[in-house]
Amino acid sequence: MLSAEKQIERSIKTKPRGTLLFPEDFSSYGSSDAVRKALDRLEDKHVLVRVAHGIYVRPKESKLIGTVLPTVEEVADAIAKRDRIRTVPSGSYALNALGLSTQIPMKIVLLTDGSPREIKVGRRSIKFKKVAPKNLLAKGKVSRLVIQALKELGNGYVSHHDEEKIIECLRTEDVAALKHDIGLAPVWIQKIMSKALQDVT
């Protein structure tokens, strides 16, 4: 019978490069302690790379730059899927995602209905900030970003250029999702978002 390490290594090598892995993915191969020890050894053998505490990846390889690790955003998405939690990007992260800021935040803040925590990924970090479920009801990928980005800018501090950019982004959103999400926003944000519905049938 193959050891836990060999079974885990074989399983890892069947997955596409770039796949994020968690110890729980290999719970059928042994105890949590045995799995963690096996992952440590496989890390030493360069089968995988640890990107954060308890989070690993089968890295992609580039001829130009060598090992390519997942982005902090990809790590955040993988954690949300694993934990079956909802998340909404907020603050400077939302501004950057919409192209309203060129500054890449060292800490990305995600509103969530899951456990509050902070995870370091290299020099950056992911903060999961627990909020009331009503703050996570937005359906549209773009419109939920817009609501958080506008809250970060603040009422009265949205430039004409930023407003035009936001409206342009919102016009790519599903109309039904946009209409739903407008109803969740503060009144001053509703006025800006509603402009994206003009000329839309």
Side-chain angles (χ1 to χ4, degrees):
M1 184 176 170
L2 292 173
S3 66
E5 182 183 335
K6 282 292 180 189
Q7 290 183 78
I8 290 170
E9 182 175 1
R10 182 178 285 183
S11 173
I12 289 168
K13 287 181 175 176
T14 65
K15 301 180 189 304
R17 288 194 174 274
T19 300
L20 281 152
L21 309 161
F22 300 93
E24 305 93 284
D25 297 337
F26 308 106
S27 56
S28 60
Y29 299 127
S31 67
S32 58
D33 191 48
V35 168
R36 288 184 187 279
K37 285 179 179 174
L39 291 172
D40 285 343
R41 289 193 292 269
L42 291 171
E43 184 185 5
D44 291 339
K45 290 165 64 176
H46 307 293
V47 173
L48 46 73
V49 174
R50 187 199 307 259
V51 293
H53 180 68
I55 306 171
Y56 303 83
V57 69
R58 184 179 184 218
K60 295 178 181 177
E61 296 294 334
S62 161
K63 288 179 181 176
L64 294 174
I65 58 173
T67 301
V68 179
L69 296 179
T71 65
V72 70
E73 290 81 7
E74 288 170 334
V75 173
D77 285 345
I79 293 169
K81 283 178 186 171
R82 178 195 67 179
D83 296 350
R84 296 184 177 88
I85 56 175
R86 288 181 294 174
T87 61
V88 175
S90 69
S92 57
Y93 178 33
L95 290 172
N96 179 261
L98 287 168
L100 297 174
S101 167
T102 55
Q103 189 174 357
I104 297 171
M106 294 305 288
K107 177 190 287 186
I108 70 171
V109 179
L110 297 168
L111 307 182
T112 183
D113 53 358
S115 304
R117 67 202 125 147
E118 191 163 331
I119 297 166
K120 284 202 70 67
V121 182
R123 289 181 297 168
R124 298 177 72 193
S125 63
I126 307 163
K127 181 176 183 179
F128 291 91
K129 183 179 178 183
K130 191 171 179 67
V131 294
K134 67 178 182 180
N135 292 303
L136 301 164
L137 296 175
K139 293 179 178 177
K141 283 190 173 182
V142 177
S143 51
R144 66 181 181 173
L145 279 173
V146 164
I147 292 170
Q148 295 303 323
L150 287 171
K151 283 181 178 178
E152 178 72 6
L153 290 171
N155 190 4
Y157 295 95
V158 182
S159 70
H160 179 67
H161 175 266
D162 284 347
E163 184 173 310
E164 284 190 333
K165 178 87 175 171
I166 283 167
I167 293 165
E168 182 186 326
C169 289
L170 284 172
R171 286 196 166 135
T172 68
E173 183 63 274
D174 174 77
V175 173
L178 176 55
K179 287 179 177 177
H180 171 271
D181 294 349
I182 286 172
L184 301 173
V187 173
W188 71 272
I189 292 178
Q190 288 185 20
K191 288 177 181 176
I192 294 172
M193 294 177 72
S194 294
K195 292 177 184 179
L197 291 172
Q198 292 169 10
D199 306 321
V200 175
T201 54

